[in-house]
Amino acid sequence: MIEIAHLTKRYGSTTVLDDVSFTAAPGRVTGFLGPNGAGKSTTMRVLCGLATASSGTATVAGRRLRDVPNPGRTVGVLLDASAQHAGRSGREVLTLSARLMGLAPGRVAACLDLVGLTAAEADARTRTYSLGMRQRLGLAHALLGEPDALVLDEPANGLDPAGIRWMRDLLRAYADGGGTVLLSSHLLREVEAVADDLVLIGRGRVLAHGTTADLLSAPGTEVRSLDDGALAGALIAAGHDVRPLDDGGLSTSASAEAVGRHALDARVVLLDLRPARSAGLEDLFFTLTAGSAREEVAA
Amino acid sequence: MSAATLTPPGTAAPARAGVPWTRLVGVELRKQVDTRAGRWLLALVVLVDVALVALYLWAADEAPGWSALTEASSAGQLLLLPLIGVLAATSEWSQRTALTTFALEPRRTRVHGAKAAAGIVLALGITVATLAVAAVATLVGGALHDGAGSWSLDGALLGGLALALVLLVLQGLGFGLALLSTPAAIVAYLALPTVWSLVSALVPALRDPADWLDMSGPLTGLMSGSLTGDGWAQLGTSTLLWVGVPLAVGLWRTARRDVA
C-alpha cells in the first residue's frame, strides 16, 4: 500500500505539489497521469526519499522509505531508465544492487531473463543500449529485490508495441500476485489498458482519483430503433437529454430500462440498446488538464 | 519469461535487517574499480609511481635504499590520490546513479562514509604496490651500482605515507561532495592551495598564518617521515581547512539535497 497524504512541496515561491493525496492499493495497478511538469516525478521522488517535501507524508506500508531498512526489498524503483553509469554493463548494474541488498547470487540472471535481455546484451556497457533496453534493465532493477511495491516513472517510454504489451502483462501478473504498482505514463492508451485505478494530476494538484471503470464510464445509453424520431420525441418529453449519433441511432441520458419502457409505450422496435461508449482516457485527460488548476473534479 | 522469477510479494521475511556497513563498503569499492575510468586512474597512479621511482634510480649515484625509493614516488600520489575520492563522490551525480544508490540506502552520509572507507582501502592497496615497486627498484639499483641499497624501512615513513594517503582521499571526497562536479573539484583541490600560497607570499601579513594553513608543506614532511612537533600542529590546522571544511560542506550539502 502506497499512501500519499497532503504532500506539498515548494521551491521558493513556486508550489510544485499542492496538498496531493491518494493511495495505491495492493493487488492493483494505479496509473499516475498528468502533463509535463504536473508533479508526477516529484511525487515519486519524495516517495522514494530522494526529495524532501515541505509538508505531508509519503509512505509505503505505513512507513517513510527513509525509515525502512534495506528499502530495495520493499519498493522497486524505476525513476529514469537513462540514469545508469554509461561505463557499466547491465549485468554489473544489477550485480552492484543485488550485493547491496544481500540477494541470492542467481537473482541477477533470473531478472535479466525475466525482462528478456540476452547474455550478450547484459554484458554490453549501458552506453550502447537503446532506450527500450534501458527500460528493460530498469525494470529488472526494480524487480530485483522482490519488492512489495513498484514505483515506475514512464516505464513504457521507448518500448516497441510488443515491448509495451510484454510490460503490461508483467505488471498485471505482479499486481495479481498481490503487489502494488504505481506507474506514470504519457501513453494514455497503455495506462487505460493496464490500470485498475487512476490518479490525474495537474499543476501539482490531484484533479481526479478513482477506479478506471468509474472515471471512464459515461452515464446514459446508446440506442438504435426502427423509428429514432418517435423514440427521441418520447425521451425528450420525459425530460431526458437526447442527441443523434454520427453513425445513426441516439445517445441519451436515460437508463437502459427507461429507454426500453419509453420504446414499449411508443411502440417503437429497438434494434440495439447498450451503455454509452466511454469517453476514453484521452478525453478525460484533456478535459481535466486543459484548463486551469482550479478546475478540480471530485472523483 | 519465466513466471517463477516474478515472486509474489510479501514472501520475504517480515523483519528485515538493514544493509550492513561492511556490505556497503564492499559495493562502493567495487563501484570504484568496475569502470574503465576507475581502473585507468588506479593504473595511472601506479604508472606514475613506477616512472618516478625509475627516474630516481636513474639519477642516483649509488644504490638507493628501499626507503628513499618509496619516498620518491610520493609526489605523484600527492597529485593523483585525491582524484579517487573526487570520482567516488561526483560520478554518482554526473552519471545520475545517485537516483539508484540513495533509493537503496537513503542514509546518504552512511553511503559517503562507505565511499571514504573504500577509497582508503584502495589507497592502502596503492601503498603496497608502491612498496613493491620500490623493492624491485632496490634490487635493480643494487645490480646497477654494485652493492645493495639499504633494506631498512622507517616506521615513521610508512605510517606517514599511510596517513597522508587517507588524508588525500578524504580531501578529494570532500571537494567532490562540496562541488559535485569532477572538473570543478579537480581544479579546486589543485588550485586553491596554490592560490593560497601565492597570496600569502604576496601579502607579508599573511605569511605567518599561511604556514598554519598550507597543507602541502606538512604533507610532504609526513610522506617522508620527517614531521616535527610544529609540523604536526601545522598538519592539523591545514587539514582542518583543506580536508575538514570541504568534507563538512559536502556532507551537509548532499545529506538532504533533492536528487534529480
Side-chain angles (χ1 to χ4, degrees), chain B residues 28 64 69-70 89 104 107-108 121 195 225 227 231 235 238 258-259:
Chain B
E28 290 301 331
L69 285 162
T70 303
L104 292 179
R107 290 170 289 181
R108 300 184 192 171
V121 168
V195 169
L227 215 54
L235 180 72
S238 60
D258 286 359
V259 185

Side-chain angles (χ1 to χ4, degrees), chain B residues 196 200 203-214 234 237-238 241:
Chain B
W196 171 248
S200 55
V203 184
L206 286 177
R207 221 160 283 167
D208 197 38
D211 286 342
W212 292 88
L213 299 176
D214 172 28
Q234 288 175 354
T237 52
S238 60
L241 176 65

Side-chain angles (χ1 to χ4, degrees), chain A residues 13-101:
Chain A
S13 61
T14 316
T15 302
V16 185
L17 297 177
D18 185 3
D19 197 29
V20 170
S21 297
F22 64 86
T23 58
R28 299 178 76 84
V29 177
T30 302
F32 193 25
L33 305 170
N36 288 330
K40 302 187 298 290
S41 295
T42 306
T43 303
M44 288 180 156
R45 277 164 168 69
V46 171
L47 176 61
C48 298
L50 295 167
T52 314
S54 308
S55 64
T57 56
T59 57
V60 179
R63 284 202 287 182
R64 295 187 322 151
L65 225 50
R66 280 184 181 172
D67 302 330
V68 174
N70 207 353
R73 305 300 306 271
T74 300
V75 179
V77 176
L78 169 57
L79 293 179
D80 187 340
S82 296
Q84 296 293 359
H85 196 295
R88 291 198 182 107
S89 69
R91 191 189 304 279
E92 178 66 17
V93 167
L94 296 185
T95 303
L96 284 171
S97 295
R99 288 200 170 194
L100 189 71
M101 289 187 266

Side-chain angles (χ1 to χ4, degrees), chain B residues 124-214:
Chain B
L124 291 179
I126 288 172
T127 310
V128 172
T130 303
L131 286 171
V133 169
V136 172
T138 310
L139 288 175
V140 173
L144 283 179
H145 293 282
D146 279 346
S150 161
W151 282 98
S152 77
L153 204 54
D154 191 1
L157 170 74
L158 213 54
L161 203 59
L163 180 59
L165 297 180
V166 170
L167 292 180
L168 287 170
V169 169
L170 290 179
Q171 185 190 22
L173 192 73
F175 274 97
L177 289 177
L179 297 168
L180 293 181
S181 144
T182 311
I186 292 173
V187 169
Y189 88 71
L190 288 179
L192 280 182
T194 313
V195 169
W196 171 248
S197 305
L198 273 175
V199 169
S200 55
L202 290 172
V203 184
L206 286 177
R207 221 160 283 167
D208 197 38
D211 286 342
W212 292 88
L213 299 176
D214 172 28

Side-chain angles (χ1 to χ4, degrees), chain A residues 88-92 118-125 129:
Chain A
R88 291 198 182 107
S89 69
R91 191 189 304 279
E92 178 66 17
T118 66
E121 287 169 335
D123 289 327
R125 284 180 292 163
Y129 282 23

Side-chain angles (χ1 to χ4, degrees), chain A residues 155-266:
Chain A
N157 251 8
L159 290 177
D160 56 21
I164 288 174
R165 165 171 282 191
W166 158 80
M167 195 193 66
R168 187 202 299 159
D169 293 346
L170 190 142
L171 294 183
R172 185 75 265 156
Y174 177 85
D176 288 346
T180 307
V181 180
L182 177 65
L183 111 139
S184 82
S185 182
H186 287 129
L187 301 172
L188 298 176
R189 282 178 202 289
E190 286 321 309
V191 174
E192 196 173 346
V194 72
D196 305 299
D197 297 308
L198 292 176
V199 178
L200 271 86
I201 185 173
R203 298 197 198 172
R205 310 194 68 180
V206 173
L207 301 173
H209 180 205
T211 68
T212 308
D214 284 352
L215 284 175
L216 295 185
S217 70
T221 44
E222 286 177 13
V223 60
R224 259 168 250 278
S225 68
L226 287 181
D227 189 352
D228 282 350
L231 184 58
L235 287 168
I236 290 167
H240 299 294
D241 291 334
V242 176
R243 67 181 175 82
L245 290 167
D246 296 340
D247 46 355
L250 303 169
S251 169
T252 171
S253 60
S255 67
E257 182 188 343
V259 172
R261 289 189 182 283
H262 285 297
L264 184 64
D265 293 346

Side-chain angles (χ1 to χ4, degrees), chain A residues 103-165:
Chain A
L103 305 179
R107 188 65 192 155
V108 168
C111 283
L112 283 169
D113 187 43
L114 183 65
V115 301
L117 284 175
T118 66
E121 287 169 335
D123 289 327
R125 284 180 292 163
T126 61
R127 80 168 84 244
T128 65
Y129 282 23
S130 66
L131 183 53
M133 286 165 72
R134 285 167 203 259
Q135 294 286 16
R136 285 172 188 265
L137 177 64
L139 207 56
H141 191 274
L143 291 166
L144 202 56
E146 296 167 58
D148 306 323
L150 291 177
V151 175
L152 312 171
D153 199 357
E154 301 282 349
N157 251 8
L159 290 177
D160 56 21
I164 288 174
R165 165 171 282 191

Side-chain angles (χ1 to χ4, degrees), chain B residues 1-135:
Chain B
M1 177 170 132
S2 73
T5 43
L6 194 65
T7 319
T11 50
R16 282 177 193 137
V19 180
W21 195 65
T22 45
R23 208 158 80 198
L24 206 53
V25 174
V27 169
E28 290 301 331
L29 187 61
R30 184 172 171 136
K31 277 193 202 171
Q32 289 175 25
V33 296
D34 73 353
T35 61
R36 281 192 193 174
R39 284 195 291 262
W40 268 112
L41 177 61
L42 293 178
L44 189 67
V45 173
V46 175
L47 279 176
V48 168
D49 265 6
V50 171
L52 286 171
V53 167
L55 199 68
Y56 187 86
L57 192 61
W58 178 70
D61 293 330
E62 56 184 15
W66 197 16
S67 267
L69 285 162
T70 303
E71 196 189 323
S73 67
S74 64
Q77 295 175 352
L78 206 61
L79 214 61
L80 290 172
L81 276 183
L83 262 174
I84 291 179
V86 168
L87 284 183
T90 57
S91 72
E92 294 276 4
W93 304 83
S94 61
Q95 299 278 347
R96 305 187 52 223
T97 47
L99 221 47
T100 304
T101 303
F102 297 132
L104 292 179
E105 176 50 276
R107 290 170 289 181
R108 300 184 192 171
T109 305
R110 197 165 180 260
V111 174
H112 292 139
K115 283 185 188 299
I120 288 166
V121 168
L122 282 183
L124 291 179
I126 288 172
T127 310
V128 172
T130 303
L131 286 171
V133 169

